[in-house]
């Protein structure tokens, strides 16, 4: 068992402190005015973004260093003393959790670079001129939400898990409320409802077995009354389902689009990663087994709805931002269908493996589409499909990235998403559920049609392309990085498939 | 095994607390109660304190007293923060002040028991103490009331921004907000303080 020394972690985070102090200058503009000249403030305005990007790099490095022992089947544990007698803030990284953490950091890094890119685009691309303090607040809130999602993924105690999930949702509430206070309130509602359902399940478990530790869960629950166990599992499932389904996203996601493109993507994707990984982590234990029929039915209904509703809305989208938003919703549908299929007693492990793989690949592909929308909007001033055309000549990189990200989401070979679809559809047919497999294939075809339709409208039409501003090196680099990443994973899926197999041998094979 | 006998004082406390919680939550849920809903939520929080006391009366070894003290601490901090506001609603034209809006949100979060505020730990302790004496129904009622309380919170937080906080009031508000959040993230000092109160009462 690998144990992380607290001193090492504290030392690593102390290195961030100077950047944090610099970032505060932009986070608190009134203080900044007193201490710094205008030129100094302009020079330091990038600090919050670079702080956040640096934190993501450090997170990726730290997670990568912890992955080898986790993939070898040894849990990585960091014990923090939180309260003396109530609950311990104990972090435990198994392979699945660490892969999900990796995905959260991987999502955050380009996101913060992207914010830097938007800043460099100048006043036309921002709301308040070159020094955009709102952007700094957003950067801080995204970072906080990321941190809480990571704490939830790694927490070894159900009460700490509830705490972390709720704080992550509160951070997302703040993030959305900066520009849309009324719509952001849905996150507050979600935080309270999901939190109380999860807390109810955790406390019922504590009442029965006197402990809320996740590690000892399967053995502890053996002594539990079956009816209470069923109630516990249903409460926890109901608490996690809204996170996976992206339910809060349906109503308002597309209406956030006139804002910074990456901002609305962050809450939806974070929720899906966090909810899915938590569900996968709790699924194999006894905890969720009694609730499987309920779980499967709810997952399937929500999943098919998300998949088809998102796909259809993407197909009829009139701007690239809305297209990206609805593709993101559709992605949560794949995860839910995979989880529902995995609940079948005879389901092959491939379907659950597909859900685990989707945690890593869907954010990558969705981020690519969001980046294309931002790239086009930043350079041409609009991403409305009727107004843009023939851009393959002026922005070939954006066209390639759109195809790579979109077709990967639809599972077209040889891109990364193909391996998810291969495992999912193969598993469904192997489990004698061909009808569901055909429904998923049809949804894939719908997504392919939507992606090709947008590509044809924006890049292939004969009209002259709109005038384009010079490309930001940050945004161009981000697009190139994401496109190459999707292609490389698709062509060389070995490590990813190996990792998901390891998850089954370790985290997901927990049985009483 | 026969169910445990509930003592008369505990029954009285539970009945009073339950009625108070029901009435306060229903009053807070009225559509026109945006301005008074926070007052009703404060009364509802008193009911949570009474639940804790009732649990302590029923089972001396339970954490009820500590939960009640913790709940009272959360309530006191929320009320102190609330008192920093100037009376009177802000006009539609008044600029939104981040500090005033944040203070209002923190008051609601701690009253509803949403992290990262000290109110979360107070609520968890209370639910645990109710469950430890076998009052699952009362714990469910308390959780349902906390869930219902989010509706007036949505109306209140979504309403017109409060008057800006200035000068000493602003500084004091920052200190109280920091205290509520720090005790939410690192609750041990609050738990120790509540434990001290519990020991004092028990020894008395």
């Amino acid at each position: 068992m690998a144990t992380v020394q607290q001193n090492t972690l504290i030392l690593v985070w102390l290195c961030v402190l100077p950047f944090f102090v610099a970032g505060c200058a932009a986070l608190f503009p009134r203080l900044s005015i007193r201490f710094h000249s205008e030129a100094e403030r302009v020079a330091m305005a990038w600090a919050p973004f670079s702080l956040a990007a640096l934190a993501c790099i450090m997170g990726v490095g730290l997670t990568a260093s912890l992955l080898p022992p986790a993939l070898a089947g040894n849990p990585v544990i960091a014990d923090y003393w939180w309260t003396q007698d109530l609950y311990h803030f104990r972090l435990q990284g198994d392979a699945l959790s660490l892969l999900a953490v990796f995905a959260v950091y991987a999502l955050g890094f380009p996101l913060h670079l992207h914010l830097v890119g938007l800043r460099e685009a100048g006043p036309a691309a921002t709301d308040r001129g070159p020094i955009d303090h709102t952007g700094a607040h957003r950067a801080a809130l995204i970072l906080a939400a990321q941190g809480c999602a990571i704490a939830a993924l790694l927490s070894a105690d159900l009460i700490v898990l509830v705490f972390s999930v709720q704080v992550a949702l509160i951070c997302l509430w703040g993030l959305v409320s900066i520009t849309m206070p009324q719509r952001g309130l849905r996150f507050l509602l979600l935080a309270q409802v999901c939190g109380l359902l999860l807390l109810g399940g955790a406390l019922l478990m504590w009442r029965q077995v006197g402990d809320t530790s996740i590690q000892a869960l399967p053995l502890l629950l053996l002594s539990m009354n079956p009816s209470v166990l069923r109630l516990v599992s249903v409460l926890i499932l109901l608490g996690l389902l809204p996170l996976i389904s992206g339910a809060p996203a349906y109503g308002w996601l597309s209406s956030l689009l006139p804002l910074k493109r990456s901002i609305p993507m962050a809450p939806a994707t974070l929720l899906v990663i966090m909810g899915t990984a938590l569900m996968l982590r709790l699924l194999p234990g006894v905890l969720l087994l009694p609730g499987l029929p309920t779980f499967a039915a709810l997952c399937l209904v929500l999943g098919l709805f998300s998949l088809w509703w998102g796909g259809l809305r993407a197909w009829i989208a009139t701007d690239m931002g809305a297209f990206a938003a609805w593709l993101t919703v559709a992605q949560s549908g794949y995860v839910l269908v995979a989880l529902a299929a995995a609940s079948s007693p005879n389901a092959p492990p491939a379907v659950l493996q597909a859900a685990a793989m989707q945690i890593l690949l869907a954010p990558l592909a969705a981020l690519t589409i969001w980046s294309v929308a931002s790239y086009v909007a930043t350079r041409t001033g609009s991403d409305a499909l009727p107004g843009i055309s023939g851009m393959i000549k002026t922005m070939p990189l954006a066209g390639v990235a759109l195809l790579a990200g979109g077709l990967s989401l639809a599972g077209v070979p040889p891109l990364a998403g193909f391996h998810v679809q291969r495992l999912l559809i193969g598993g469904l047919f192997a489990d004698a559920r061909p009808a569901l497999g055909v429904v998923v294939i049809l949804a894939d075809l719908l997504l392919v049609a939507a992606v090709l339709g947008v590509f044809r409208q924006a890049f292939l039409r004969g009209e002259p392309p709109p005038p384009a501003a010079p490309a930001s090196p940050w945004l161009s680099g981000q697009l190139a990085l994401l496109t190459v990443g999707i292609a490389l994973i698709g062509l060389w899926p070995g490590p990813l498939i190996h990792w998901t197999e390891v998850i089954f041998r370790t985290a997901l094979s927990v049985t009483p | 095994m026969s169910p445990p006998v509930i003592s008369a004082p505990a029954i009285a406390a539970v009945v009073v607390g339950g009625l108070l919680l029901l009435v306060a939550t229903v009053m807070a849920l009225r559509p026109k109660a945006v301005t008074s809903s926070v007052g009703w939520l404060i009364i509802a929080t008193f009911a949570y304190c009474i639940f804790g006391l009732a649990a302590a009366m029923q089972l001396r070894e339970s954490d009820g007293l500590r939960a009640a003290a913790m709940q009272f601490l959360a309530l006191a901090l929320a009320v102190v923060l609330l008192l920093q506001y100037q009376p009177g609603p802000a006009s539609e034209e008044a600029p939104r002040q981040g500090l005033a809006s944040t203070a209002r949100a923190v008051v609601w979060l701690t009253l509803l028991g949403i992290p990262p505020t000290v109110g979360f730990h107070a609520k968890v302790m209370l639910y645990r103490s109710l469950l430890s004496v076998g009052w699952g129904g009362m714990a469910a009622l308390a959780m349902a009331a906390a869930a219902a309380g989010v509706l007036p919170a949505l109306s209140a937080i979504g309403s017109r921004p409060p008057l800006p906080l200035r000068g000493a009031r602003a500084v004091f508000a920052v200190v109280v907000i920091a205290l509520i959040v720090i005790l939410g993230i690192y609750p041990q000092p609050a738990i120790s303080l509540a434990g001290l109160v519990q020991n004092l009462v028990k020894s008395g």
Side-chain angles (χ1 to χ4, degrees):
Chain A
M1 183 178 295
T3 302
V4 182
Q5 292 297 320
Q6 290 187 27
N7 293 343
T8 313
L9 285 180
I10 291 168
L11 189 67
V12 167
W13 286 105
L14 276 179
C15 294
V16 181
L17 205 56
F19 293 89
F20 179 73
V21 174
C24 286
L27 287 172
F28 303 106
R30 285 170 192 273
L31 283 176
S32 172
I33 289 168
R34 290 168 190 260
F35 292 118
H36 300 289
S37 68
E38 185 65 20
E40 284 172 334
R41 285 203 305 137
V42 171
M44 292 205 315
W46 54 267
F49 307 110
S50 58
L51 160 74
L54 181 73
C56 287
I57 292 173
M58 289 165 65
V60 166
L62 191 61
T63 319
S65 69
L66 295 177
L67 266 174
L71 290 172
N74 301 319
V76 179
I77 291 179
D79 248 328
Y80 284 87
W81 180 75
W82 195 20
T83 68
Q84 280 174 329
D85 49 358
L86 274 183
Y87 21 74
H88 286 276
F89 189 27
R90 192 173 197 215
L91 301 179
Q92 178 171 321
D94 50 30
L96 170 67
S97 308
L98 283 173
L99 281 176
V101 168
F102 202 85
V104 171
Y105 276 128
L107 163 75
F109 176 57
L111 188 63
H112 291 289
L113 283 187
H114 185 67
L115 285 168
V116 177
L118 285 176
R119 292 185 50 74
E120 288 190 342
T126 57
D127 297 330
R128 298 187 181 183
I131 301 176
D132 184 7
H133 297 297
T134 306
H137 296 159
R138 282 184 183 140
L141 282 167
I142 291 172
L143 194 61
Q146 267 181 281
C148 294
I150 288 165
L153 292 166
L154 297 181
S155 59
D157 186 288
L158 278 176
I159 301 282
V160 180
L161 187 149
V162 175
F163 180 90
S164 307
V165 167
Q166 279 192 295
V167 180
L169 288 168
I170 292 297
C171 292
L172 296 180
W173 168 41
L175 179 68
V176 178
S177 294
I178 287 177
T179 43
M180 310 195 76
Q182 292 296 333
R183 292 183 187 277
L185 286 174
R186 295 181 189 194
F187 273 102
L188 177 60
L189 182 65
L190 191 70
Q192 181 70 329
V193 172
C194 289
L196 282 174
L197 285 168
L198 292 171
L199 188 62
L203 287 175
L204 262 181
M205 199 183 86
W206 172 82
R207 174 76 184 105
Q208 286 284 309
V209 296
D211 196 359
T212 50
S213 155
I214 293 174
Q215 178 65 11
L217 212 57
L219 292 175
L220 286 172
L221 291 177
L222 281 177
S223 56
M224 208 173 195
N225 181 334
S227 59
V228 178
L229 182 57
R230 194 171 296 116
L231 184 59
V232 168
S233 61
V234 167
L235 283 173
I236 291 182
L237 283 170
L238 289 177
L240 288 177
L241 267 184
L243 303 181
I244 305 178
S245 67
Y250 295 141
W252 53 263
L253 191 57
S254 54
S255 59
L256 289 172
L257 295 172
L259 308 174
K260 312 279 186 299
R261 300 296 176 189
S262 293
I263 303 303
M265 184 272 296
T269 314
L270 257 182
L271 284 182
V272 173
I273 293 177
M274 184 168 67
T276 309
L278 290 178
M279 188 79 88
L280 284 171
R281 223 183 138 195
L282 298 176
L283 184 67
V286 191
L287 180 61
L288 298 184
L289 289 179
L292 279 182
T294 318
F295 168 72
L298 276 172
C299 268
L300 195 60
V301 170
L302 268 174
L304 289 177
F305 178 73
S306 299
L307 188 54
W308 278 91
W309 182 242
L312 285 170
R313 293 295 298 259
W315 192 31
I316 59 171
T318 53
D319 62 81
M320 293 181 76
F323 170 71
W326 289 111
L327 276 188
T328 307
V329 170
Q331 288 317 295
S332 63
Y334 282 122
V335 177
L336 283 168
V337 169
L339 285 174
S343 308
S344 161
N346 303 320
V351 283
L352 211 50
Q353 202 174 354
M357 207 184 266
Q358 180 79 344
I359 294 176
L360 283 172
L361 295 182
L364 191 69
L367 187 64
T368 311
I369 306 287
W370 281 101
S371 302
V372 171
S374 302
Y375 186 82
V376 170
T378 305
R379 291 191 64 186
T380 65
S382 167
D383 67 347
L385 291 171
I388 52 177
S389 55
M391 292 192 306
I392 196 71
K393 295 169 190 165
T394 52
M395 300 182 206
L397 178 60
V400 173
L402 177 73
L403 283 180
L407 295 181
S408 174
L409 287 177
V412 174
L415 299 164
F418 166 68
H419 301 288
V420 177
Q421 300 296 328
R422 179 173 60 81
L423 289 171
L424 175 60
I425 295 167
L428 287 174
F429 278 95
D431 192 25
R433 301 177 82 172
L436 192 53
V438 169
V439 170
V440 173
I441 291 173
L442 289 176
D444 286 341
L445 292 176
L446 175 65
L447 292 189
V448 170
V451 172
L452 293 180
V454 169
F455 180 73
R456 187 188 65 80
Q457 286 193 60
F459 291 91
L460 295 184
R461 276 191 307 182
E463 290 91 346
S472 156
W474 286 109
L475 286 177
S476 302
Q478 182 179 325
L479 273 188
L481 192 71
L482 289 168
T483 308
V484 170
I486 288 174
L488 275 183
I489 294 173
L491 292 169
W492 190 43
L496 195 65
I497 291 175
H498 171 68
W499 287 350
T500 46
E501 280 172 357
V502 167
I503 287 172
F504 285 97
R505 286 205 304 272
T506 56
L508 295 185
S509 62
V510 179
T511 47
Chain B
M1 197 174 77
S2 61
V5 179
I6 304 178
S7 65
I11 289 178
V14 163
V15 170
V16 169
L19 285 176
L20 197 60
L21 184 63
L22 275 177
V23 170
T25 306
V26 169
M27 294 300 280
L29 285 172
R30 286 177 310 154
K32 292 181 180 175
V34 172
T35 50
S36 61
S37 55
V38 70
W40 286 113
L41 254 288
I42 288 171
I43 293 172
T45 310
F46 268 117
Y48 287 113
C49 296
I50 295 173
F51 277 159
L53 293 175
M57 287 176 194
Q58 174 65 14
L59 185 65
R60 198 172 160 79
E61 292 75 30
S62 80
D63 252 355
L65 260 176
R66 195 161 65 147
M70 189 91 168
Q71 190 69 62
F72 191 78
L73 175 70
L75 177 62
L77 287 171
V79 170
V80 166
L81 188 53
L82 207 58
L83 288 175
Q84 303 315 308
Y85 281 109
Q86 303 279 6
S91 67
E92 289 288 355
E93 294 77 28
R96 177 180 285 270
Q97 191 202 32
L99 176 61
S101 300
T102 306
R104 181 172 64 178
V106 168
V107 167
W108 278 102
L109 290 184
T110 199
L111 285 177
L112 291 173
I114 298 175
T117 63
V118 67
F120 170 78
H121 303 286
K123 287 276 194 294
V124 171
M125 283 181 75
L126 182 86
Y127 301 146
R128 282 171 60 134
S129 65
L130 288 175
L131 287 172
S132 67
V133 293
W135 294 348
M138 298 313 291
L141 175 70
M143 292 180 94
V150 79
L151 295 176
L154 295 178
S155 305
I157 295 173
S159 64
R160 286 184 298 181
L163 283 174
L165 294 167
R166 306 273 181 225
R169 283 176 184 273
V171 174
F172 195 65
V174 169
V175 171
V176 178
I177 290 171
L179 201 57
I180 289 174
V181 174
I182 288 170
L183 288 177
I185 294 169
Y186 183 66
Q188 189 56 47
I191 292 172
S192 300
L193 187 67
L196 195 67
V197 172
Q198 178 175 254
N199 292 339
L200 281 174
V201 172
K202 278 185 178 173
S203 62

